[in-house]
């Protein structure tokens, strides 16, 4: 493929628009999620319409660089440079830009973008259709805007050197396409605005719903913790004030536990951390033995309650003695009745974490939403089953990326390095420092936006179909009267002058005034035109004859040397390729020879005007000696003559040239003024080769000229010939 030479004015326009597009693409208009409206590519469309693919490619390099700076994704170069070439070549083939843009995104753009997102960007499959569709919609928007800019800016109509249509379009098709552009831009822009406000409203509703759920669940959890904390505190206070003996504490603890099933286990420990009572009894084989081997003195809930004299709600931890489950302990000190500030043990209850599963399932939006509960150390106390997170593990997540714009809080739980959000969330801090998160998958909202875009494309298609029939009907009102006038006043009836006024149903009061005025003007001028027709035909006939004669003379002057009447250099160079191709097809040899007259300057200086006569004699001798119709003889410049002898016998050429050289040397040239006579000799350099040697004249000339130089060096009046095998 040969790239065209760039014109300075066209290159300047492509670069200026490219820089303008780059600046626009640095500030894309954010919509929802990763939807950004890019308008800088309008510059690429304008250049593709006016100047074709290669200038559009230059502009696209600038505009794609702007997107690369903003998005940091190299796919923009592949996607938008290919689009520039596609639109430019479509314009060259007279395909309208909007239709070319639609075909590009359907056939190439969307598949390439989907492959890139799936394989390279590692985007989840659920996000790919939305991203691809919104980019295609964006492409149709800036393609339509670019076409409208060319239509609306008068200075671009007559831009020098711009591409023109291959075929003249009908008024109806032009009007239909203009309506299509206007409807496309109007509908897509209004649909984008509607979708933007609709999705915004959905986000507000989701945000409010998540916040309400988080607030409700937080209050429920706070109340749950407060109530159970109060149960433990009340039990400890009762034991502190009661005169019941330690041997009665087991029965009391079991009674409290039976009436408060929120606790998985409960226990009472003395000042050494040894267990004095525990519930349920089923978990205890031998309390005395358990007291000997078990101590909770090292547990934080014992330390905080016993030594710091406060009710304590622990972070999540793994229990021991009664199982290895993840528990949250609530503990409070038991004081001596005689010494209110002296602790003599603690009461502890291990919360049953199944409660959080119950409140999760009681959530009205349980199927769509999940919850996470973390303690003050950011360790998981509870996670909805569908999240696949283990209790007591540290909660690790990343917040939504800058690529996805939303009015919601976004997070990634599983794929922390991904730019694609997984969940929408609301966060609420509990009174004791715990954090409650309510999560909802991001994909359903994305699918809703995707459906909106698909509906927009379907609506656009239906609108365009409707616009097609409407514009056909409108254009019919204008084009049918014009068509009738064209038929009546066209070339087919110009020879039939008539005094009758042309009448037709379409040429009535409903006909537009401009068209009826045109009809009257054509009718009044028709007769005058017919009168001049015959006179013009006679003049044209005479001019044609004069031109034919002049053309014959001009052709002769263009192809032949005026002095010698043999062919000139330009004709020879033009004919060489035809002769070479003819010989190449037949696998024939050909000869190219340069003949230069020896000491011709001396002849000119001595005999004056006879130098020209000498050249005529040489030309006549050449014509009489090389008589074949296929031989080409020409004056190549000054005293040089060029001979091209196709389909020659390679073994006889040199002898034939020597015969001519000798005949020329024997020819006597007489000066008619003083009857002085003189002879002239010639040096000849020739090359003989198969026609496949080269299809370029300069290679043949170079070899022949080298041989001519050898002939001169060897004393002139010689033939030096090379045979190239």
């Amino acid at each position: 493929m040969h790239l065209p030479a760039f014109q300075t004015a066209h290159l300047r326009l492509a670069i200026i628009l490219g820089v303008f597009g780059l600046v626009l693409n640095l500030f894309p208009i954010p919509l929802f999620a990763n939807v950004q409206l890019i308008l800088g590519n309008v510059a690429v469309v304008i250049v593709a319409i006016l100047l074709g693919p290669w200038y559009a490619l230059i502009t696209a390099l600038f505009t794609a660089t702007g997107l690369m700076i903003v998005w940091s994704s190299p796919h923009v170069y592949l996607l938008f440079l290919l689009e520039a070439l596609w639109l430019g070549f479509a314009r060259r083939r007279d395909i309208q830009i909007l239709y070319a843009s639609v075909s590009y995104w359907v056939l190439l753009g969307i598949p390439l973008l989907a492959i890139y997102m799936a394989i390279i960007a590692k985007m989840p499959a659920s996000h790919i259709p939305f991203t691809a569709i919104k980019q295609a919609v964006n492409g149709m928007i800036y393609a339509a805007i670019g076409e409208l800019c060319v239509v609306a800016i008068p200075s671009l109509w007559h831009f020098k050197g711009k591409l023109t249509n291959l075929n003249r379009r009908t008024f109806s098709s032009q009007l239909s396409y203009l309506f299509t552009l206007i409807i496309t831009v109007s509908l897509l822009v209004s649909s984008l605005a509607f979708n933007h406000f609709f999705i915004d409203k959905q986000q507000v509703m989701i945000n409010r719903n998540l916040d309400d759920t988080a607030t409700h669940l937080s209050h429920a959890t706070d109340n749950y913790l407060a109530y159970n904390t109060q149960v433990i505190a009340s039990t400890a206070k009762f034991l502190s004030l009661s005169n019941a003996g330690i041997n009665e504490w087991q029965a009391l603890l079991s009674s409290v536990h039976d009436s408060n099933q929120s606790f998985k286990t409960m226990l009472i420990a003395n000042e050494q951390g040894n267990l004095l009572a525990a519930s349920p009894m089923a978990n205890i084989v031998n309390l005395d033995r358990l007291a000997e081997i078990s101590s909770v003195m090292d547990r934080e809930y014992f330390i905080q309650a016993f030594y710091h004299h406060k009710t304590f709600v622990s972070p999540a931890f793994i229990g021991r003695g009664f199982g290895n489950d993840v528990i949250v302990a609530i503990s409070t000190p038991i004081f001596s009745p005689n010494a209110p500030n002296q602790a003599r043990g603690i009461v502890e209850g291990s919360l049953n974490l199944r409660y959080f599963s119950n409140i999760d399932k009681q959530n009205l939006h349980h199927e769509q939403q999940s919850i996470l509960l973390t303690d003050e150390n950011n360790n998981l106390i509870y996670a909805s089953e569908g999240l696949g997170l283990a209790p007591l593990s540290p909660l690790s997540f990343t917040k939504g990326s800058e690529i996805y714009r939303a009015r919601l809080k976004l997070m990634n739980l599983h794929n922390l390095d991904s730019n694609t959000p997984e969940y929408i969330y609301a966060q609420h801090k509990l009174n004791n420092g715990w954090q409650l998160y309510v999560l909802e998958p991001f994909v359903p909202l994305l699918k809703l936006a995707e459906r909106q875009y698909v509906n927009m494309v379907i609506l656009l298609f239906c609108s365009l179909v409707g616009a097609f029939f409407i514009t056909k009907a409108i254009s019919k009102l204008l084009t049918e009267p014009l068509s009738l006038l064209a038929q009546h006043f066209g070339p087919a009836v110009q020879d039939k002058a008539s005094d009758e006024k042309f009448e037709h149903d379409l040429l009535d009061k409903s006909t537009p005034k401009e068209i009826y005025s045109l009809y009257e003007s054509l009718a009044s001028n028709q007769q005058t035109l017919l009168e001049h027709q015959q006179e013009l035909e006679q003049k044209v006939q005479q001019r044609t004859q004069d031109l034919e004669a002049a053309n014959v003379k001009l052709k002769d002057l263009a192809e032949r040397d005026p002095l010698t009447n043999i062919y000139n250099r330009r004709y020879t160079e033009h004919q060489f390729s035809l002769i070479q191709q003819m010989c190449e097809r037949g696998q024939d040899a050909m000869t190219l020879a340069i003949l230069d007259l020896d000491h011709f300057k001396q002849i000119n200086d001595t005999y004056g005007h006879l130098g020209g006569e000498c050249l005529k004699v040489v030309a006549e001798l050449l014509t009489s000696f090389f008589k074949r119709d296929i031989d080409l003889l020409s004056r190549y410049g000054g005293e040089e003559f060029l001979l091209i002898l196709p389909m020659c016998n390679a073994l006889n050429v040199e002898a034939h040239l020597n015969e001519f050289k000798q005949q020329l040397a024997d020819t006597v040239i007489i000066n008619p003024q003083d009857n002085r006579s003189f002879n002239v000799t010639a040096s000849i350099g020739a090359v003989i080769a198969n026609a496949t040697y080269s299809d370029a004249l300069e290679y043949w000339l170079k070899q022949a000229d080298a041989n001519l130089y050898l002939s001169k060096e060897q004393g002139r009046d010689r033939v030096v010939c090379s045979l190239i095998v």
Side-chain angles (χ1 to χ4, degrees), residues 67 92 108 533 540 542 588 650 695:
L67 294 176
R92 278 191 176 178
L108 199 60
Q533 181 176 351
V540 167
Q542 182 61 43
D588 295 315
D695 60 357

Side-chain angles (χ1 to χ4, degrees), residues 176-194:
S176 298
Y177 184 60
L178 183 60
F179 266 73
T180 300
L181 289 174
I182 295 172
I183 289 173
T184 300
V185 173
S186 303
L187 185 60
L188 289 179
V189 172
S190 59
S191 296
L192 281 177
F194 171 79

